[in-house]
Amino acid sequence: MCGIFGYVGTKNNASDLVLEGLRILEYRGYDSWGIAQLVDGVISVTKKAGRIPDGDISFKATTIALGHTRWATHGEVTDQNAHPHLDCTQKLAIIHNGIIENYDKIKVNLKKAGHKFLSETDTEVAIHLIEKNIKAGNPFREAVRSAFNEFAGLNAIIVMDAASKTFVAAKTGSPLVVGRGKGKENLIASDAPALINYTDTFHFVEDGELLEITQDSIRAFDQKTGQEKNLHWQKVDWKFASNDKGKYPHFMLKEIHEQPTIIETIVNQSIPSIEDLAETILKSYGTYLVACGTAAYAALAGTYLFSKIARRHVNYAVGSEFGYQLDFLKKGSLVIALSQSGETIDVIDAIKKAKEKGALVYALVNVLGSTLYRMADYKILLMAGAEKAVASTKAFTAKLAYLILLSYILSSQKEKGKRVLQKALSSTNRLLQNEISNIKQIAQKLVNKKHIYVIGRGLAYPIALEAALKIKEVSYIHAEGMASGELKHGPIALVEKGTPCIAFLPDDETHGANLAGAMEMSARGADIIGISFQPHEIFDYFIRVDDAREATIIPETVAAQLLAYYLAIEKGFDPDKPRNLAKSVVVK
Ligand code: M6R
């Protein structure tokens, strides 16, 4: 949600650089965009509802500019509500991520003092309050600090001052990262990959920190006291990061195709950290998996893997529910948080609460330097590389691969775990080589369907849920995943002639019972799309997924991702940017 990019330096095409940065950040999801630039001492703003248009936008020469992609919270999606917002003097510009919960009270006072508001946003309140503080005699940095201390809620702001050509940034939530460019230039963004062309050295801004950024320096201060602090510079290895789609038309397809390489990387590189996690699990009083959305389905799959392979019980909760289930957490409990972005607010909140209870927090996270990465006591990086499509694909299968290995390591069968993942690799490669035209044809047959049901049992149950979520997210077809044993408890009432039903039928102990579920659907007229190791007479369509023991869930997922992707293409939607969705859900 809300991409942020700011440049101050000596290059005189700062607005173009900011536009390019915002384009890289488009994957975060947004509904409007805007850029503030300083030209001849005056701030001018270009902002619009909708997507950033293709091609060049003509900007005047400037060496300082600040941009934002907005995901609306307060106020509709309009040009006026898009960021940046200016103060009455037009000497200050602000961009903001988060919600200023007490904005209404502050706004009443500012209006009484004569400030003119042009938008319905909470953000605009902030810039007028800063203006008021400056008029009261405070220097710019102090004016921002004192205003920010008045805001309730979790927020990140960056303010540009025309007079001093300075940015001041402050945050209590939402990610911000600063980078030192080459020579006299500095940058700030919501995500490190947006700065990939400028630097590999970053400071990830901490909550409660205030930054002052000019072309010459970056300084950090304590937000509450104003005391200067040290910055913690970190080098980032960009080996797996890339901001372009390569030969693929969409990031989603590119990321689907990257999965074999990622699984191979995990098998070959990450064992010591997983062994460490396994030891921690064995020592803990209880283990809890917590995550949201797709990551939560990986966590759910983890409960099956732990039970089946490692014979261990783990608890599981989606982030937003975890707070209602943590009364029995104590010192010695272990919480494993799974997240692609490491910024999902419900996961961050959950681990804050877990830490208050004395639990140890392990993160399985894809983004280095993210909030979760920094907050966790221990972390394993997923090594899936930057995931740009809003719909999570490769981060999900990377999580599955780690959980499979972890389960095998817990049962002292590390080598077997690796062999099982190798099988998943072969099966996924075969699928990507041989099944795509088949999957495209199935997508053509399903394109006009209003509902799709997805069934699975055991390990395939979380995969059925994930398959349905992927279809919903990118094709906007209503899809419902369920345990096939639940069919008779209600959902089968909805089946009529031609209702599509995707059935995951791996070669495991669930096969017979799951097939029975598919038969019940078929007997009532459903069209069965069997995702299985072998064809069956009840299948109307068949996607072959070779067996890889418990890791069959990886190629099964890839089959479902491809089907979702081609359904989106058939319907003419952009699978990388589904409507209403943001890549990182950083507000409640
Ligand atoms: O970044 P996270 O893994 O924490 O994100 C969690 C969910 O918001 C995310 O998986 C979401 O469900 C995706 N849109 C799924 O494709």
Side-chain angles (χ1 to χ4, degrees):
M1 282 172 183
C2 300
I4 288 171
F5 195 98
Y7 174 93
V8 53
T10 48
K11 296 187 181 113
N12 69 1
N13 61 340
S15 299
D16 297 323
L17 303 180
V18 169
L19 183 71
E20 190 184 293
L22 292 185
R23 284 197 168 120
I24 291 172
L25 292 167
E26 281 190 300
Y27 66 90
R28 289 178 70 91
Y30 69 104
D31 40 46
S32 46
W33 64 278
I35 294 177
Q37 54 168 1
L38 183 65
V39 182
D40 301 331
V42 175
I43 297 178
S44 71
V45 173
T46 306
K47 57 184 194 177
K48 284 256 167 264
R51 293 276 164 86
I52 299 172
D54 292 334
D56 290 339
I57 298 177
S58 126
F59 291 111
K60 293 212 169 120
T62 178
T63 55
I64 177 167
L66 185 58
H68 185 265
T69 48
R70 174 176 188 245
W71 194 87
T73 53
H74 277 65
E76 287 173 25
V77 180
T78 61
D79 292 356
Q80 286 90 336
N81 288 339
H83 302 204
H85 296 282
L86 301 183
D87 71 323
C88 299
T89 67
Q90 309 208 337
K91 295 278 165 49
L92 302 167
I94 189 169
I95 57 170
H96 167 222
N97 197 0
I99 297 171
I100 300 171
E101 288 168 7
N102 54 342
Y103 83 101
D104 43 356
K105 283 195 193 120
I106 304 173
K107 190 169 180 175
V108 170
N109 292 333
L110 288 166
K111 273 187 161 175
K112 275 189 203 150
H115 290 266
K116 296 269 173 298
F117 286 82
L118 305 177
S119 77
E120 305 154 311
T121 63
D122 50 341
T123 309
E124 204 185 347
V125 166
I127 200 68
H128 289 286
L129 187 58
I130 294 164
E131 174 195 357
K132 179 176 161 229
N133 291 346
I134 289 176
K135 280 195 178 137
N138 291 291
F140 173 52
R141 186 178 77 223
E142 193 48 35
V144 178
R145 193 178 77 80
S146 130
F148 196 76
N149 279 341
E150 287 194 36
F151 302 151
L154 299 178
N155 296 287
I157 60 169
I158 305 177
V159 187
M160 180 165 104
D161 174 38
S164 59
K165 290 195 176 178
T166 303
F167 295 135
V168 168
K171 89 174 193 89
T172 43
S174 297
L176 281 181
V177 57
V178 281
R180 285 191 290 224
K182 294 174 192 87
K184 281 173 166 261
E185 63 178 14
N186 288 309
L187 300 107
I188 185 159
S190 46
D191 311 37
L195 305 180
I196 189 168
N197 296 333
Y198 304 91
T199 185
D200 61 358
T201 311
F202 300 100
H203 168 77
F204 294 97
V205 185
E206 297 289 342
D207 284 350
E209 218 169 60
L210 177 117
L211 263 79
E212 184 184 73
I213 305 159
T214 65
Q215 65 172 33
D216 300 309
S217 68
I218 302 177
R219 295 171 70 196
F221 301 86
D222 184 285
Q223 167 64 41
K224 285 274 172 265
T225 65
Q227 286 290 309
E228 187 151 11
K229 302 175 60 187
N230 289 331
L231 291 145
H232 297 288
W233 293 103
Q234 237 179 298
K235 275 224 172 258
V236 175
D237 180 359
W238 287 125
K239 198 163 51 179
F240 289 95
S242 162
N243 284 325
D244 68 67
K245 298 179 207 142
K247 62 180 183 183
Y248 297 98
H250 298 99
F251 280 113
M252 184 176 175
L253 192 61
K254 174 179 178 249
E255 288 160 9
I256 290 172
H257 279 267
E258 283 170 351
Q259 292 175 106
T261 316
I262 294 162
I263 296 161
E264 213 168 356
T265 310
I266 292 168
V267 177
N268 294 330
Q269 287 186 19
S270 301
I271 305 294
S273 54
I274 309 175
E275 282 174 330
D276 183 58
L277 174 53
E279 264 175 46
T280 313
I281 291 172
L282 293 173
K283 282 190 256 163
S284 73
Y285 286 127
T287 304
Y288 303 79
L289 297 170
V290 59
C292 295
T294 284
Y297 296 144
L300 181 60
T303 65
Y304 285 85
L305 291 163
F306 271 51
S307 165
K308 194 173 172 185
I309 303 168
R311 313 265 181 242
R312 280 193 82 84
H313 171 69
V314 281
N315 299 282
Y316 149 85
V318 293
S320 54
E321 290 296 311
F322 187 72
Y324 313 114
Q325 291 190 343
L326 48 66
D327 299 298
F328 41 90
L329 276 187
K330 57 183 176 191
K331 197 166 165 32
S333 307
L334 172 67
V335 175
I336 306 177
L338 293 86
S339 175
Q340 190 289 124
S341 61
E343 300 296 348
T344 303
I345 189 75
D346 287 325
V347 173
I348 303 297
D349 265 8
I351 66 159
K352 275 185 189 156
K353 288 175 187 150
K355 287 188 117 187
E356 279 162 19
K357 290 254 176 187
L360 199 68
V361 173
Y362 238 102
L364 262 178
V365 57
N366 199 34
V367 179
L368 177 76
S370 57
T371 306
L372 176 61
Y373 181 88
R374 285 179 284 120
M375 284 179 73
D377 299 298
Y378 299 96
K379 33 247 166 181
I380 295 180
L381 272 179
L382 291 173
M383 312 279 282
E387 195 181 67
K388 292 293 175 68
V390 166
S392 184
T393 54
K394 59 180 182 169
F396 178 71
T397 47
K399 286 178 205 120
L400 295 181
Y402 276 103
L403 291 167
I404 290 165
L405 264 186
L406 179 62
S407 305
Y408 272 105
I409 289 171
L410 275 168
S411 66
S412 307
Q413 302 183 84
K414 177 168 86 181
E415 291 311 314
K416 188 168 174 193
K418 285 182 166 194
R419 284 198 299 278
V420 164
L421 281 184
Q422 292 287 2
K423 273 177 158 254
L425 184 60
S426 314
S427 176
T428 305
N429 275 328
R430 198 210 68 84
L431 182 92
L432 289 169
Q433 274 151 27
N434 299 351
E435 294 293 328
I436 289 191
S437 63
N438 175 31
I439 293 173
K440 275 185 192 168
Q441 280 169 24
I442 297 173
Q444 281 160 10
K445 299 280 183 204
L446 301 187
V447 68
N448 292 319
K449 298 290 181 183
K450 294 271 177 285
H451 311 279
I452 297 178
Y453 297 95
V454 193
I455 60 170
R457 253 175 203 267
L459 268 171
Y461 165 51
I463 306 309
L465 298 176
E466 169 58 8
L469 181 64
K470 271 309 77 88
I471 293 170
K472 275 184 259 202
E473 280 188 294
V474 299
S475 75
Y476 315 146
I477 297 174
H478 165 241
E480 203 174 320
M482 65 194 91
S484 60
E486 285 296 295
L487 276 172
K488 287 197 282 292
H489 299 289
I492 203 161
L494 294 167
V495 174
E496 50 193 34
K497 192 163 168 38
T499 302
C501 170
I502 299 171
F504 286 103
L505 292 152
D507 187 12
D508 65 10
E509 72 284 3
T510 65
H511 189 75
N514 215 4
L515 196 57
M519 281 171 171
E520 285 158 11
M521 297 286 261
S522 175
R524 282 152 187 87
D527 288 344
I528 307 296
I529 301 110
I531 301 187
S532 187
F533 62 103
Q534 62 183 18
H536 190 281
E537 60 184 6
I538 63 152
F539 295 169
D540 298 277
Y541 309 100
F542 170 51
I543 302 173
R544 181 182 210 102
V545 166
D546 286 347
D547 176 59
R549 299 185 56 104
E550 296 84 1
T552 310
I553 52 178
I554 291 176
E556 281 174 345
T557 302
V558 178
Q561 293 166 348
L562 286 164
L563 185 59
Y565 173 81
Y566 286 111
L567 278 169
I569 299 301
E570 283 301 321
K571 297 194 77 128
F573 299 136
D574 179 351
D576 284 348
K577 296 172 202 140
R579 69 185 178 206
N580 304 338
L581 294 179
K583 183 68 182 158
S584 311
V585 182
V586 296
V587 286
K588 285 209 177 248

